[in-house]
């Protein structure tokens, strides 16, 4: 069965028709993953959904996280995409990570969280410093709640501070960004395939 990935675009723009540099970076990764027979089935604009604050998997009436959670966990690879704001991941990305905190209490009889055996990578864009700080924050959180982080798992572009050019405005993908995307895709696909064939054993509770 082919490997699949899902992308979460954590831009602050809730209107999916509004262009987003995060979508552009996700598209770069999707193409690179395709070279390794990984299909990105969907990019979800998280801000367009009613993802309630909280740390459980269902925060009650109107909460759209349960459906998104189920969709995420049907895939082998998660692409968590975010712009940089104030040197950090967006509040939308942080909301996603907070909702995954519930995984800590949703273990199976070997103590494995729902995300165990699945791979997560990050797509980051911005016009200010903070790409490394953002990836560090997200990697730690994702690892805490069970995701496997492959080597070179962040692909980012940072433009001139306070500049007026966004990643989506570039006529072509910068060479270094493309090289990073290609390595990320190779490592993520390799890791996901290994984990599908040889799942983490967990421990007896």
């Amino acid at each position: 069965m082919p490997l699949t990935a899902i992308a979460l675009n954590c831009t602050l723009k809730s209107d999916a028709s509004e262009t987003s540099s995060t979508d552009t970076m996700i598209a770069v990764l999707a193409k690179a993953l395709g070279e390794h027979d990984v299909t990105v089935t969907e990019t979800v604009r998280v801000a367009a959904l009613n993802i309630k604050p909280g740390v459980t998997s269902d925060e009650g009436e109107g909460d759209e996280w349960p459906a998104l959670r189920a969709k995420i966990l049907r895939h082998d690879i998660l692409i968590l995409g975010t712009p940089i704001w104030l040197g950090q991941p967006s509040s939308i990305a942080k909301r996603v990570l907070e909702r995954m905190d519930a995984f800590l209490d949703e273990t199976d009889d070997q103590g494995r969280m729902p995300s165990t055996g699945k791979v997560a990578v990050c797509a980051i864009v911005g016009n200010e410093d903070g790409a490394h700080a953002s990836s560090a924050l997200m990697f730690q959180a994702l690892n805490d709640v069970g995701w496997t982080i492959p080597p070179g798992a962040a692909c980012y572009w940072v433009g001139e501070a306070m500049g007026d050019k966004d990643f989506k405005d570039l006529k072509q993908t910068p060479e270094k960004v493309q090289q990073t995307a290609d390595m990320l895709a190779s490592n993520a696909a390799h890791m996901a395939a290994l984990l599908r064939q040889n799942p983490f054993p967990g421990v007896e509770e």
Side-chain angles (χ1 to χ4, degrees), residues 113-156:
M113 288 177 268
S115 49
T116 298
K118 298 180 182 296
V119 169
V121 299
C122 295
I124 303 168
V125 293
N127 279 332
E128 57 182 292
D129 193 15
H132 285 149
S134 295
S135 61
L137 187 154
M138 292 193 291
F139 286 161
Q140 182 61 59
L142 289 163
N143 183 260
D144 280 350
V145 295
W147 297 90
T148 297
I149 313 299
C155 190
Y156 69 87

Side-chain angles (χ1 to χ4, degrees), residues 75-176:
H75 293 77
D76 302 289
I77 299 170
L78 168 66
I79 302 171
L80 186 57
T82 182
I84 298 168
W85 289 111
L86 302 174
Q88 304 177 54
S90 74
S91 58
I92 304 297
K94 291 180 181 180
R95 175 69 54 87
V96 168
L97 294 170
E98 287 165 353
R99 294 304 301 270
M100 289 183 186
D101 185 78
F103 291 175
L104 295 166
D105 295 321
E106 296 173 349
T107 55
D108 64 13
D109 56 4
Q110 270 77 51
R112 297 171 297 192
M113 288 177 268
S115 49
T116 298
K118 298 180 182 296
V119 169
V121 299
C122 295
I124 303 168
V125 293
N127 279 332
E128 57 182 292
D129 193 15
H132 285 149
S134 295
S135 61
L137 187 154
M138 292 193 291
F139 286 161
Q140 182 61 59
L142 289 163
N143 183 260
D144 280 350
V145 295
W147 297 90
T148 297
I149 313 299
C155 190
Y156 69 87
W157 177 86
V158 177
E160 182 182 0
M162 308 300 289
D164 58 1
K165 181 171 285 188
D166 295 327
F167 187 63
K168 60 184 172 60
D169 300 325
L170 303 182
K171 293 182 179 180
Q172 62 183 28
T173 303
E175 181 180 358
K176 288 297 182 182

Side-chain angles (χ1 to χ4, degrees), residues 36-86:
H36 298 274
D37 298 321
V38 179
T39 300
V40 178
T41 65
E42 183 179 1
T43 296
V44 178
R45 184 73 66 99
V46 181
L49 303 176
N50 181 20
I51 306 299
K52 292 189 173 185
V55 291
T56 73
S57 285
D58 190 341
E59 290 292 332
E61 185 177 356
D63 185 16
E64 295 187 80
W65 174 254
L68 179 57
R69 174 190 179 279
K71 188 180 291 187
I72 291 168
L73 293 175
R74 286 197 293 268
H75 293 77
D76 302 289
I77 299 170
L78 168 66
I79 302 171
L80 186 57
T82 182
I84 298 168
W85 289 111
L86 302 174

